[in-house]
Structure formats: C-alpha cells, structure tokens
C-alpha cells in the first residue's frame, strides 16, 4: 500500500510535476526571450529510464498523481513511449499533461485510449495575430485543432491563458465565452517573473482580483464554485454554461497553505516550491548508484525543510534576484 508523505508543515504531498524537457518550439513572451534560453546539455537531462525509476521510487512513498510538462513534452523524442512506461507504474492514480498543442493532435486518440486523465492546453489568445505576437510563432490553427480533437475525444481539457497587460486583455471575455459552447475549464493565470530574462513589471498590473472584476462586470451572474482540495485556481461558473472559469493567483501566491506538489526539473533538480531554486540534485544521486531506499530517505528528508510558502522560498534564494529563470526549465 502507498505511504503518506507529509512536509514539515503537515501538508500531504501526493502530486509530482515532472518536466521532461526544457526544449520548446514556441517562444512565449512570458516564458522565454526571443532568442530562446540556454538549453541544458543533453547528457545533463534525465533520461527516460531515470525518470521512470524516479517515479517508481516516489509512488510507494505516496505520490499518486503526476503531471508531465516541459518545455514542450511532445518535442522530446519518443515521448509517447515514455508515457506508456509511466502508465504502467502500479499505484499511480492520475496522469495529466500540459502542452502547447502544436504537436499533440495526432496523439489524442492514444491519449484517450491510455486513459490520460486530463490535458492542460496553453492558449493565450483566440486571435491569430495576437497569438503570433505572444508566442512568436504562427501556430494558433494547429493549437485550435488540438483543442477540438481533445473535446471531441472526450478528454477532460483545461485551457491555460497567462494574462498580460497590453497583450491579451481583449481575449479574456471571448475565452470566458468558450465555456458556453464547450465543456472546458478556462483558467486565467497571473504572470510570474519566470521568463528567462528581466522582470516585465514592477507591480503586476493584472492580478487575480482585477481579472475576476473584469469578468464579473461582463457576467454579473457568475457563481463561485467550491474549489477542490489543494486547488490552485478559484473556480466559477456562469449559469447555463457547460464549462467553468478559473483564476490562478500564481504571482500573489494565495494557495501555498494547501500545497500538495513537488517538481522535478528536466535536469533532475527537486523543487519543493515553484519559487525555490532546487533543493536536491536527484540526477547526481541516481548516477552515483543510489539504492531505492537511499533515494526515498533523501527525498523524505528534503521535504522536512520545505519553505512555508513561495515568499519564504524566494527569500531563501542565493542567486541574483534579477536573473529570471525560464518556466520552461521549471515546468509551470
Ligand atoms: N510547453 C507547455 C505549455 O506551454 O503548455 C508546457 C510547459 S509551460 C512552461 C507550462 C505552463 O506554464 C503553461 O500553461 C504556461 O502558460 C505557463 N507559464 C509559463 N511561463 C509563465 C509565466 N511567466 N507566468 C505564468 N505562467 C507561465
Ligand atoms: Fe514553450 Fe510552454 Fe514556455 Fe510557451 S510556455 S515557450 S510553449 S514552454
């Protein structure tokens, strides 16, 4: 039977976000500079075998749910083979994916057949020109086809849009309107300072309150829904609509108190908070021949030093606060 893993603040940890690559075929303004980021050398990336081993070691400790992300996960060669291996790990109750949708459509039937629980698709604008300006690639038609394929196949789908002043504010209401026609959860995310470059703002212009105020003005009857345990989004629904609307206060960090998640980066760093800079190098341990038991012990003790919230984790960093990591190396 699976164990139960708790951190030093008594929070149960059962959710792993694993970034399988830092490579990406888009250049989203909020995630990477135009010229891209300096990618991790290939030999420093965890191999698929190492990732499968890591997950197999973590599941008996109490990890039940995994999200595969990146970079763009479908850009890594043989990603579907890797997904099949993860799917076979006994004890894992949920497998979710986050993707930019540019290379995903052809795999949708197999994702459905495999029983992938949900897919988060990033789409920051429904307008082709604005989408191009934000992602620096003209890929909206392809991403939209992936969206339709996911919906038609009946895979639970969430759309993620990062809200950016002066870039996609005009998209907020059309995206909310999608929930009328589609059984989709549209989530608006506060922009975080993880763009591989300098911070875009001194003060975040569109925080969760302003985003919600904007939506409420257009949809005064919108209703609050109960939020699932450890949810990062505040969830709402417009009466009569099939889908739901969520707002993720990723910058304001209002959800840290119930955080149940850990992250592993493409190079094998364990992050116990989105805002820490990695607390343990799992790749080095694996490559030094650590046994499963040693890995589990090291991992469990890393959780005993977990920051209370994102503010504390950020305060503990030793790196230059102006050097902004890219979300592609964190996994979102
Ligand atoms: N490439 C995939 C994608 O875009 O969905 C997966 C990786 S991406 C880093 C994961 C999520 O992080 C995306 O939904 C993206 O919008 C979000 N993200 C990236 N940079 C962000 C930032 N600076 N602030 C808020 N969210 C960000
Ligand atoms: Fe690529 Fe996703 Fe980052 Fe956009 S958000 S550059 S799609 S990793």
């Amino acid at each position: 039977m699976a164990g139960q893993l708790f951190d030093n603040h008594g929070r149960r940890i059962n959710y792993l976000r694993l970034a399988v690559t830092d490579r990406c075929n888009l250049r989203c303004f909020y995630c990477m500079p135009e010229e891209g980021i300096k990618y991790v050398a290939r030999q420093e990336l965890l191999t698929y075998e190492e990732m499968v081993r890591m997950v197999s070691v973590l599941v008996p400790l109490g990890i039940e749910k995994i999200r595969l992300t990146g970079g763009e996960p479908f850009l890594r060669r043989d990603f579907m083979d890797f997904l099949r291996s993860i799917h076979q790990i006994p004890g894992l109750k949920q497998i979710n994916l986050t993707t930019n949708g540019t290379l995903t459509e052809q795999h949708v039937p197999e994702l459905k057949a495999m029983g992938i629980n949900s897919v988060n698709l990033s789409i920051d604008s429904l307008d082709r020109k604005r989408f191009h300006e934000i992602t620096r690639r003209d890929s909206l038609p392809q991403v939209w086809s992936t969206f339709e394929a996911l919906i038609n196949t009946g895979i639970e789908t969430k759309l993620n849009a990062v809200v950016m002043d002066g870039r996609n504010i005009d998209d907020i209401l059309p995206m909310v309107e999608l929930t009328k026609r589609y059984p989709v959860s549209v989530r608006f995310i506060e922009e975080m300072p993880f763009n591989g470059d300098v911070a875009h703002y001194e003060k975040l212009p569109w925080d969760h309150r302003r985003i919600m105020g904007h939506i409420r003005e257009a949809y005064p009857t919108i209703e609050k829904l109960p939020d699932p345990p450890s949810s990062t989004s505040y969830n709402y629904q417009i009466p009569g609509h099939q889908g739901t609307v969520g707002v993720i206060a990723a910058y304001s960090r209002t959800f840290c108190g119930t955080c149940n998640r850990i992250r592993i980066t493409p190079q094998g760093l364990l992050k116990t908070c989105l805002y820490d800079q990695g607390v343990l190098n799992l790749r080095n341990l694996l490559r030094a021949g650590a046994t499963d038991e040693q890995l589990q012990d090291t991992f469990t003790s890393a959780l005993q030093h977990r920051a209370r919230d994102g503010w504390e984790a950020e305060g503990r960093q030793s790196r230059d606060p102006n050097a902004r990591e890219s979300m592609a190396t964190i996994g979102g």
Side-chain angles (χ1 to χ4, degrees), residues 225-239:
L225 296 174
D227 298 320
S230 302
S231 168
T232 51
S233 54
Y234 299 118
N235 299 293
Y236 302 84
Q237 189 163 36
I238 295 156

Side-chain angles (χ1 to χ4, degrees), residues 39-93:
Y39 288 140
V40 174
R42 198 160 293 279
Q43 64 277 14
E44 287 176 28
L45 292 175
L46 286 181
T47 63
Y48 283 146
E49 290 72 21
E50 287 170 333
M51 289 188 232
V52 170
R53 164 115 192 269
M54 217 43 257
V55 178
S56 308
V57 163
L58 293 179
V59 168
L61 286 180
I63 295 295
E64 303 172 323
K65 176 173 156 189
I66 188 170
R67 174 171 301 282
L68 301 171
T69 171
E72 175 46 40
F74 288 89
L75 199 58
R76 187 151 178 183
R77 195 183 308 152
D78 302 327
F79 175 67
M80 288 303 286
D81 291 339
F82 169 65
L83 197 52
R84 282 180 214 110
S85 313
I86 289 287
H87 185 245
Q88 277 160 16
I89 297 175
L92 208 48
K93 293 189 184 149

Side-chain angles (χ1 to χ4, degrees), residues 17 24 26 28 30-31 69-73 98-101 120-122 124 160-162 189-195 250 327-332:
R17 298 177 63 105
C24 193
L26 300 187
C28 303
Y30 48 78
C31 181
T69 171
E72 175 46 40
T98 302
T99 173
N100 65 26
N120 287 7
L121 185 64
S122 300
D124 301 309
N160 284 347
V162 178
I189 310 177
E190 289 179 352
E191 184 180 343
M192 292 177 272
F194 294 129
N195 56 24
M327 194 62 99
T329 59
I330 304 175

Side-chain angles (χ1 to χ4, degrees), residues 10-280:
R11 293 173 292 204
R12 182 162 175 226
I13 308 297
N14 60 359
Y15 176 22
L16 166 68
R17 298 177 63 105
L18 175 61
V20 303
T21 180
D22 59 345
R23 273 74 166 159
C24 193
N25 54 345
L26 300 187
R27 290 286 175 276
C28 303
F29 157 85
Y30 48 78
C31 181
M32 287 194 194
E34 183 146 25
E35 65 281 9
I37 50 168
K38 194 171 173 289
Y39 288 140
V40 174
R42 198 160 293 279
Q43 64 277 14
E44 287 176 28
L45 292 175
L46 286 181
T47 63
Y48 283 146
E49 290 72 21
E50 287 170 333
M51 289 188 232
V52 170
R53 164 115 192 269
M54 217 43 257
V55 178
S56 308
V57 163
L58 293 179
V59 168
L61 286 180
I63 295 295
E64 303 172 323
K65 176 173 156 189
I66 188 170
R67 174 171 301 282
L68 301 171
T69 171
E72 175 46 40
F74 288 89
L75 199 58
R76 187 151 178 183
R77 195 183 308 152
D78 302 327
F79 175 67
M80 288 303 286
D81 291 339
F82 169 65
L83 197 52
R84 282 180 214 110
S85 313
I86 289 287
H87 185 245
Q88 277 160 16
I89 297 175
L92 208 48
K93 293 189 184 149
Q94 263 197 46
I95 305 177
N96 303 314
L97 304 177
T98 302
T99 173
N100 65 26
T102 54
L103 308 167
T104 318
E105 186 184 359
Q106 57 170 313
H107 302 295
V108 167
E110 192 178 351
L111 298 180
K112 174 72 181 171
M114 221 187 267
I116 295 302
N117 294 82
S118 76
V119 174
N120 287 7
L121 185 64
S122 300
I123 183 164
D124 301 309
S125 178
L126 300 177
D127 175 84
R128 188 161 176 177
K129 185 163 167 282
R130 281 200 293 270
F131 182 98
H132 190 165
E133 281 163 7
I134 292 167
T135 64
R136 304 187 179 108
R137 300 289 184 270
D138 184 20
S139 305
L140 180 61
Q142 187 49 54
V143 176
W144 187 258
S145 286
T146 298
F147 170 63
E148 291 194 316
L150 287 166
I151 293 288
N152 293 336
T153 320
I155 296 183
E156 184 186 332
T157 305
K158 296 178 183 165
L159 295 182
N160 284 347
V162 178
V163 177
M164 291 159 283
D165 197 37
R167 295 206 173 236
N168 63 350
I169 302 308
D170 289 348
D171 284 289
I172 296 178
L173 300 180
M175 290 196 73
V176 170
E177 195 56 25
L178 289 178
T179 65
K180 188 173 189 175
R181 226 179 110 199
Y182 299 101
V184 65
S185 164
V186 174
R187 292 128 43 98
F188 298 100
I189 310 177
E190 289 179 352
E191 184 180 343
M192 292 177 272
F194 294 129
N195 56 24
D197 203 349
V198 290
H200 291 151
Y201 320 104
E202 238 169 58
K203 185 175 176 301
L204 187 70
W206 284 83
D207 69 357
H208 61 110
R209 286 192 195 87
R210 187 167 177 202
I211 299 169
M212 215 35 234
H214 183 68
I215 297 173
R216 219 186 277 282
E217 246 176 55
Y219 297 94
T221 58
I222 194 165
E223 287 170 357
K224 181 81 190 71
L225 296 174
D227 298 320
S230 302
S231 168
T232 51
S233 54
Y234 299 118
N235 299 293
Y236 302 84
Q237 189 163 36
I238 295 156
H241 283 210
Q242 301 183 58
T244 61
V245 174
V247 182
I248 303 184
Y251 182 81
S252 307
R253 288 163 245 188
T254 49
F255 44 64
C256 298
T258 56
C259 181
N260 63 341
R261 60 198 61 200
I262 50 167
R263 291 174 165 78
I264 297 181
T265 70
Q267 65 271 46
L269 285 177
L270 172 71
K271 275 173 163 293
T272 56
C273 172
L274 174 60
Y275 284 85
D276 73 35
Q277 60 189 109
V279 298
L280 179 65

